[in-house]
Amino acid sequence: MRRYGFWRVKSEVCSNEGNGKVSEDRIILSITDGVATITLNRPDVGNALDIPTVKELAKAVDHFAADDAVRCVVLTGAGRLFCAGGDIASMAGAGDGLPDMLGDLIAALHRVLVALIEMPKPLLTLVNGPAAGAGFSMAISGDVVIAGKSASFLAAYGGIGLTADGGMSWLLPRLIGLRQAQRLILLNEKVGADEAGAIGLVTQVVEDDDLLSVGQTMAYRLKTSAMSSIGGSRALLRESLQSDYATQLERERQSMMEAARGSENSEGVAAFLQKRKPDFEKAN
């Protein structure tokens, strides 16, 4: 039995190349018991993002998002950092082509993030260490974000004369308010794990040694939930930020009607009446 990501996996292992083997290169992929794990795997450079890494990530996300057997996606990092953001060395090597290179890199990353945000299943991020730049954005994109005590969050863009990407300028004001977002992005202030928990940047802060076990428990909780409920609720929460009240009420009505047509609703009602725990996984 080998270790892939942070679960011991004996059954199905998913590859970004479709050959049944796990990539030992830029990302590590695994799927077991309905939980798909994506581990950024460039620890020697802080899991920094370059175009080949993002392309591998895109293949993994597209596969897991479309796979009905996957009921929860987990994103984490290998080594000491979660993700240091963009690969500065590759930026330095781009020369006069840097703007175009960054444009291509960011476009590819943004497609990945949109796929993660819009998929009808939960995203759990386990922040195992510092997250900077686009790594910061990726870390806080989860529906549930669990950070180890060694985690920290730094926008970093101002330090190299760039501006925010990865949805940071959209997410931060909604998560922690405009004033705090201005502090983190414009003043480039680093936030530690405890402060991140206090201001609502992350869901939970745990000891580093407990991150994997707590993450495992949370992933099980998410993957045994009703996917119709989670998928519909994810969409409603996302849409609410652009909707007026009356529009959102109608969206809620339509979402409820759609969920009521599904087998998970039938299972949930039956379980309630029979005074037992619903088995949503078998309901699909």
Side-chain angles (χ1 to χ4, degrees):
M1 184 186 302
R2 297 178 65 190
R3 176 175 285 276
Y4 299 118
F6 56 84
W7 273 286
R8 293 190 178 278
V9 179
K10 291 189 288 186
S11 55
E12 179 186 359
V13 176
C14 177
S15 169
N16 60 313
E17 298 179 358
N19 59 9
K21 297 180 181 179
V22 170
S23 168
E24 296 291 337
D25 192 10
R26 296 173 182 273
I27 58 175
I28 299 174
L29 311 175
S30 71
I31 173 174
T32 186
D33 290 336
V35 176
T37 305
I38 302 172
T39 304
L40 302 173
N41 189 41
R42 302 182 72 206
D44 55 323
V45 291
N47 299 320
L49 302 171
D50 59 6
I51 289 177
T53 301
V54 174
K55 286 183 176 179
E56 285 196 29
L57 187 59
K59 291 179 182 178
V61 170
D62 287 346
H63 178 86
F64 291 152
D67 187 350
D68 290 339
V70 172
R71 297 175 62 87
C72 177
V73 175
V74 178
L75 179 63
T76 191
R80 190 179 63 83
L81 276 70
F82 174 80
C83 177
D87 190 326
I88 303 297
S90 66
M91 293 182 197
D96 293 341
L98 178 60
D100 289 337
M101 186 273 276
L102 281 178
D104 291 343
L105 173 64
I106 294 168
L109 176 63
H110 287 181
R111 285 192 292 271
V112 170
L113 291 169
V114 168
L116 286 171
I117 292 294
E118 293 187 349
M119 66 181 180
K121 57 193 73 177
L123 173 64
L124 168 64
T125 54
L126 301 183
V127 190
N128 55 294
F136 183 169
S137 299
M138 292 171 67
I140 62 175
S141 294
D143 300 294
V144 177
V145 182
I146 303 177
K149 285 278 192 178
S150 66
S152 61
F153 302 86
L154 178 68
Y157 301 101
I160 54 173
L162 294 175
T163 57
D165 67 347
M168 185 181 294
S169 63
W170 190 91
L171 278 168
L172 277 183
R174 288 162 172 80
L175 289 172
I176 60 175
L178 178 59
R179 189 63 69 215
Q180 291 280 24
Q182 288 169 322
R183 176 171 73 95
L184 270 57
I185 294 176
L186 303 183
L187 300 182
N188 202 31
E189 291 193 3
K190 182 164 70 173
V191 172
D194 288 335
E195 183 182 357
I199 66 176
L201 196 58
V202 303
T203 309
Q204 184 178 1
V205 178
V206 300
E207 297 295 334
D208 287 339
D209 290 343
D210 295 332
L211 181 63
L212 303 187
S213 62
V214 172
Q216 202 169 18
T217 299
M218 181 60 72
Y220 177 83
R221 177 178 175 181
L222 289 168
K223 71 106 175 180
T224 55
S225 301
M227 289 299 103
S228 57
S229 175
I230 284 184
S233 296
R234 286 185 106 219
L236 285 170
L237 288 168
R238 186 173 64 250
E239 292 160 352
S240 72
L241 299 170
Q242 283 81 40
S243 297
D244 59 61
Y245 184 61
T247 299
Q248 191 66 13
L249 288 178
E250 177 57 20
R251 283 176 171 160
E252 288 182 347
R253 186 180 76 89
Q254 293 290 342
S255 182
M256 181 75 78
M257 292 170 64
E258 181 63 27
R261 297 185 183 101
S263 57
E264 288 182 323
N265 171 248
S266 299
E267 166 61 14
V269 171
F272 179 84
L273 294 175
Q274 296 165 17
K275 296 181 171 57
R276 62 174 174 82
K277 184 177 180 179
D279 189 344
F280 293 118
E281 292 178 281
K282 289 185 178 179
N284 291 320

